């Protein structure tokens, strides 16, 4: 524990107590190092059926939990625990990735991150897997090789087209509200206050990433 440590990976989490005890240990270490309590974040790794089952409770066990998501490793701990056989399509892990994502979002975890793509040389497979994870609602993907980083960054960063669409939605709804309208048709689809709120949220995320 030191000023340069941002977060720790916590492997083999079984129960929420694992996260709570780690939080307490980090607090003691931060105090000993003269650091502000709570600055070091935790990423619990979901590597067992029990961790999938209790994902919400694990994610809620400490305010330090800032990164968490469903793992997908081929032949790893979670595969052994659940018994799934890895495929490129990823249907065998779709439920667990979706279930854990819902749990961590409900727990308020700010950066849900999904499992890794183990075939280092298969960059097109990585691209497809990252795109699917982004479509599900994840904010990022674990990587195991530098060659994977540019692809993951590109997939999870808002595109220029997305930024432009979000700005158009916000502007169109602001114009509509000035006219007393609660909903409009934009490019052939319904747009209302909920869509504008989502667009503002996405633009704020882009600003945090230094893009917008």
């Amino acid at each position: 524990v030191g000023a340069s440590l941002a977060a720790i990976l916590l492997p083999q989490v079984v129960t929420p107590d694992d996260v709570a005890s780690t939080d307490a240990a980090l607090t003691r270490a931060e105090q000993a190092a003269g650091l502000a309590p709570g600055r070091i974040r935790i990423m619990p790794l979901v590597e067992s059926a029990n961790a999938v089952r209790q994902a919400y409770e694990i994610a809620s066990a400490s305010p330090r939990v800032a990164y968490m998501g469903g793992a997908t490793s081929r032949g790893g701990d979670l595969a052994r625990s659940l018994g799934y056989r890895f495929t490129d399509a990823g249907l065998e892990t779709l439920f667990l990735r979706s279930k854990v994502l819902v749990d961590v979002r409900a727990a308020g975890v700010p950066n849900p991150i999904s499992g890794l793509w183990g075939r280092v040389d298969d960059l097109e497979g990585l691209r497809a897997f990252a795109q699917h994870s982004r479509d599900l609602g994840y904010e990022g993907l674990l990587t195991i090789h530098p060659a994977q980083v540019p692809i993951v960054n590109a997939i999870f960063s808002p595109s220029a087209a997305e930024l432009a669409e979000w700005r158009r939605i916000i502007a169109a709804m602001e114009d509509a509200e000035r006219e007393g309208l609660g909903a409009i048709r934009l490019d052939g689809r319904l747009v209302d206050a909920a869509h504008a709120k989502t667009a503002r949220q996405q633009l704020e995320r882009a600003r945090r990433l230094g893009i917008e």
Side-chain angles (χ1 to χ4, degrees), residues 14-171:
V14 178
T15 71
D17 289 342
D18 297 330
V19 176
S21 61
T22 301
D23 183 321
L26 283 172
T27 297
R28 292 191 295 271
E30 286 167 339
Q31 291 172 342
L35 302 175
R39 65 174 286 171
I40 297 171
R41 314 309 292 269
I42 297 174
M43 181 176 182
L45 296 185
V46 179
E47 298 181 295
S48 69
N50 196 68
V52 174
R53 180 69 178 82
Q54 297 191 79
Y56 176 79
E57 291 78 10
I58 290 169
S60 303
S62 167
R64 295 179 185 269
V65 177
Y67 313 93
M68 185 175 168
T72 57
S73 177
R74 180 175 188 165
D77 293 310
L78 188 56
R80 183 177 65 255
S81 179
L82 294 178
Y84 70 75
R85 293 190 292 187
F86 181 88
T87 67
D88 290 347
L91 292 179
E92 70 283 352
T93 62
L94 177 58
F95 169 75
L96 72 91
R97 285 182 288 136
S98 301
K99 191 269 183 190
V100 174
L101 177 63
V102 170
D103 285 344
V104 300
R105 286 293 193 187
V109 174
N111 303 292
I113 294 179
S114 189
L116 54 83
W117 183 258
R119 293 205 297 267
V120 175
D121 296 329
D122 183 8
L123 296 182
E124 287 309 307
L126 167 69
R127 189 183 305 277
F129 178 66
Q131 185 65 63
H132 185 246
S133 298
R134 178 66 192 93
D135 291 345
L136 281 179
Y138 278 101
E139 299 281 353
L141 194 72
L142 291 172
T143 61
I144 58 172
H145 191 276
Q148 296 179 333
V149 174
I151 293 173
V152 171
N153 281 345
I155 293 296
F156 287 94
S157 297
S159 67
E162 287 174 321
L163 294 172
E165 180 184 13
W166 296 330
R167 293 191 192 102
R168 285 184 64 237
I169 290 172
I170 293 169

